[in-house]
Amino acid sequence: MVINRPHSKLKSLLILILLSFVACPALAFINIESLRQIDGKGYLGQTTLQVSGQQGNTDKFTSQASTMGVYRLDINEWLYTASYKYGTSANVRDTNLGSGHIRHTWNYQEPIAYEAFIQSGFDEFKRLNSRNYVGGNLRFRLLHSEDNRLYAGTGAFYEVEDFEGQDEDTEGLRGNIYISHVARLNETVTSSTTIYYQPKFKDLENYRLRFMTGLDVRINETLSLDVDFNLVNDSGLPEGVKQTDIDYLVGFSVKY
């Protein structure tokens, strides 16, 4: 779709900013482990906005907004994430994707915890109209010190995918295995790395592998500089769609 109104980019940016701040009080798998490892009860939240653009010989615009939060009681933890990414090149849309996730964890402070989750997402340029799933995990605390925290999880989820050009939805049960490490490198810098492996039970050659790593550099009590690298390999995409996507992002986040 060609965008021919001169103010369309500014309008898209303003909408993203408004959505991110409106969502904060009410409110990729999205990596929430760095926020999740902050101790304390009650509510913790974080919102990130990343924007980049070029004009002249190269005409490119990309924006991304995400918000996440954790609410804790004595033995229960609720968390949510939501993100949206939009981009154009030469005034033609080339990026349009988003997702949302809600998870409940019982006994979150214990060595073994129980998780249930739902997620929904779409990605126009992977020809994915929608992907919805519901599932559960066992979460194991392998290491828990002041500077290093290591967790692993195993479980499964049932998903329904709607791809453009396919007559029927694709359904099936996938395994969900992950390992997560968060390290406090010093008083201001924290690193987080999470790896997910999600094979389809009836077709093990159909799998997803997601690698997410990043640095959180604290500027003050609420503002941080974020550097993220994400790699996703999905062998179950339609023919003609590249299986591997890589993102590297720099932006600012606000914790509240």
Side-chain angles (χ1 to χ4, degrees):
M1 181 183 71
V2 176
I3 302 175
N4 51 25
R5 290 180 296 177
H7 64 281
S8 58
K9 293 180 182 178
L10 179 59
K11 183 178 179 181
S12 299
L13 175 59
L14 289 174
I15 290 173
L16 278 171
I17 294 173
L18 287 172
L19 283 175
S20 65
F21 281 97
V22 168
C24 291
L27 300 170
F29 285 148
I30 306 166
N31 192 8
I32 47 79
E33 292 295 333
S34 59
L35 179 67
R36 198 176 194 184
Q37 299 308 320
I38 300 175
D39 293 324
K41 295 181 181 179
Y43 179 76
L44 298 168
Q46 176 176 316
T47 294
T48 303
L49 179 64
Q50 297 162 321
V51 178
S52 64
Q54 293 176 279
Q55 284 188 329
N57 294 314
T58 300
D59 192 355
K60 177 72 176 175
F61 173 78
T62 303
S63 59
Q64 176 168 299
S66 64
T67 186
M68 61 184 75
V70 177
Y71 181 71
R72 296 189 181 118
L73 299 174
D74 290 335
I75 62 171
N76 293 287
E77 177 186 78
W78 288 90
L79 65 88
Y80 69 86
T81 65
S83 68
Y84 178 68
K85 186 175 182 180
Y86 179 87
T88 63
S89 182
N91 288 331
V92 178
R93 184 171 64 203
D94 62 1
T95 304
N96 184 31
L97 59 95
S99 63
H101 182 96
I102 299 174
R103 183 179 303 206
H104 185 204
T105 305
W106 294 266
N107 298 326
Y108 76 94
Q109 293 178 316
E110 301 300 321
I112 299 179
Y114 309 91
E115 300 180 312
F117 55 85
I118 58 173
Q119 180 162 320
S120 181
F122 71 96
D123 190 335
E124 178 182 354
F125 291 90
K126 287 184 177 178
R127 306 214 304 262
L128 179 64
N129 294 327
S130 66
R131 175 183 287 154
N132 303 301
Y133 51 79
V134 58
N137 283 324
L138 287 176
R139 179 177 171 90
F140 304 94
R141 189 178 71 192
L142 306 179
L143 176 65
H144 189 92
S145 66
E146 184 177 352
D147 294 331
N148 284 279
R149 300 188 179 187
L150 181 65
Y151 285 81
T154 182
F157 59 87
Y158 189 83
E159 71 176 0
V160 180
E161 296 176 297
D162 175 15
F163 284 101
E164 181 182 345
Q166 294 186 355
D167 294 333
E168 297 182 356
D169 292 348
T170 302
E171 303 181 24
L173 190 65
R174 285 187 182 272
N176 185 46
I177 302 167
Y178 71 86
I179 187 165
S180 170
H181 178 239
V182 177
R184 191 176 71 172
L185 304 181
N186 54 48
E187 292 185 356
T188 60
V189 181
T190 301
S191 71
S192 62
T193 300
T194 305
I195 302 173
Y196 285 99
Y197 175 62
Q198 299 168 335
K200 199 164 188 176
F201 284 164
K202 291 187 176 181
D203 181 10
L204 295 180
E205 293 185 356
N206 184 332
Y207 67 88
R208 292 190 201 113
L209 181 65
R210 182 183 295 268
F211 172 79
M212 299 177 286
T213 188
L215 292 175
D216 181 288
V217 183
R218 190 178 66 185
I219 298 173
N220 56 39
E221 291 298 323
T222 58
L223 183 64
S224 295
L225 172 68
D226 291 329
V227 182
D228 298 311
F229 176 87
N230 303 308
L231 183 150
V232 180
N233 182 271
D234 188 344
S235 65
L237 295 173
E239 185 177 353
V241 179
K242 292 182 179 181
Q243 293 185 3
T244 302
D245 281 325
I246 296 175
D247 289 324
Y248 34 92
L249 301 166
V250 177
F252 291 95
S253 63
V254 178
K255 295 182 175 66
Y256 41 88

